[in-house]
Amino acid sequence: MQAHGILVRARAPGSAMAPPPAPRRRPCRVSATAVRSRVTHSMPPEKAEVFRSLEGWASRSLLPLLKPVEGCWQPTDFLPDSSSEMFEHEVRELRARAAGLPDDYFVVLVGDMVTEEALPTYQTMINTLDGVRDETGASACPWAVWTRAWTAEENRHGDILGKYMYLSGRVDMRMVEKTVQYLIGSGMDPGTENNPYLGFVYTSFQERATAVSHGNTARLARAHGDDVLARACGTIAADEKRHETAYGRIVEQLLRLDPDGAVLAVADMMRKRITMPAHLMHDGRDMGLFDHFAAVAQRLGVYTARDYADIVEFLVKRWKLETLEAGLSGEGRRARDFVCGLPQRMRRASERAEDRANKDEPRKVKFSWIFDREVTL
Ligand SMILES: [Fe+2]
Ligand SMILES: [Fe+2]
């Protein structure tokens, strides 16, 4: 590994993953304690061969997980038809349904939508990965074909949520649009080091995290009486699940071909903690915006510290890490044991944090996304 030891920036504690490490009602203090060192190209060049050897497999087992465009849903399937005479009536119906959704729900929905809208950053990130990047922009290599089609599928997620919000009249769209612009300009720092081992562990986790989050916004929309939004969020969640399956399969292949390298990569990402893709979110006003959004998501049960532990546990089982033995060095065995014990340790820590948080006074924060109305963290 090439550790150049250059510090790139400080990150606020609590921004390390989608939920804060604990439900927080305390004032969010931004401090410069957590730093990520700049490590680049940490995969030894000879390991690029692993990805070349998997190209046939990727064509057979990965690309079929993409849906043909002709069979795909599109945002307009869930929205009023602007070419129809019924358009105004359908918009009024949409607004009547949206009126039943509380402000805190909209905060989480906007945060999810903003996260999806930073898609240029995610495609860029994947194309930083050595051995799998799209070398030309239209490469026929199966890794590149996957990445472009994955991006194209993902592109519908922010689109449907944004158009729905615009029509709902519940959201300050200009502030939301500014947040998207700031976020794309800021990028992200998941610590994947141009290393596809790390990159695909990250995407396996993140696709499941987004599936959980969109699944829960679907559940809450239904509970509040907005069945159309519930179907849209549920449909997004189904896409995320399909993508999770694909990325999970890649790591499975890495564990088969290079168990030591793969398990070390899993442990490395888990030690760093999985950063939420939108961790650099900003609206030009609230310096703690991401933490505040994550705290509301935690309180509503849309994405929580327990979900994080559940995802780690799911991946441990999905990749059969507990019984992984063959081909492991001593370091590999220690990495495996670290990852396998992680969900239990995280749950204990989150329970202690929940107990502490329950003793705190609930705190309210204004969100520009909903016209500066206050929401409880
Ligand atoms: Fe998505
Ligand atoms: Fe996704």
Side-chain angles (χ1 to χ4, degrees), residues 71-254:
C72 272
W73 65 272
Q74 296 298 338
T76 46
D77 300 342
F78 298 92
L79 293 164
D81 177 358
S82 61
S83 67
S84 155
E85 280 183 3
M86 296 298 287
F87 179 63
E88 287 175 30
H89 171 73
E90 288 172 8
V91 171
R92 274 195 294 278
E93 282 186 340
L94 182 152
R95 290 164 84 97
R97 288 191 304 270
L101 296 163
D103 275 347
D104 50 12
Y105 179 86
F106 269 102
V107 165
V108 175
L109 197 68
V110 170
D112 282 357
M113 172 267 196
V114 166
T115 304
E116 294 285 350
E117 286 288 87
L119 184 59
T121 301
Y122 315 140
Q123 187 177 21
T124 301
M125 278 308 308
I126 292 177
N127 280 327
T128 68
L129 301 176
D130 294 331
V132 296
R133 72 171 57 86
D134 187 343
E135 297 283 357
T136 67
S139 162
C141 164
W143 301 113
V145 171
W146 165 267
T147 298
R148 289 195 306 273
W150 169 83
T151 306
E153 288 194 359
E154 286 281 342
N155 191 51
R156 300 164 304 153
H157 299 173
D159 189 355
I160 168 68
L161 294 176
K163 283 174 178 153
Y164 169 88
M165 276 171 208
Y166 171 72
L167 291 173
S168 78
R170 292 287 306 278
V171 166
D172 185 338
M173 284 309 292
R174 193 163 198 287
M175 290 310 296
V176 174
E177 288 159 351
K178 273 176 66 177
T179 310
V180 170
Q181 188 172 355
Y182 270 121
L183 181 58
I184 295 175
S186 297
M188 70 185 289
D189 179 16
T192 43
E193 306 171 5
N194 314 102
N195 181 332
Y197 282 68
L198 301 179
F200 291 133
V201 171
Y202 179 83
T203 52
S204 298
F205 187 103
Q206 261 315 326
E207 293 289 359
R208 189 164 181 87
T210 48
V212 168
S213 179
H214 291 301
N216 282 323
T217 53
R219 178 177 56 76
L220 290 174
R222 188 162 290 115
H224 290 295
D226 192 337
D227 283 343
V228 179
L229 179 60
R231 265 192 289 122
C233 293
T235 304
I236 296 173
D239 276 1
E240 310 291 15
K241 282 244 172 213
R242 200 157 36 78
H243 297 160
E244 174 210 322
T245 300
Y247 290 120
R249 279 186 194 174
I250 299 174
V251 176
E252 206 169 65
Q253 290 302 308
L254 297 177

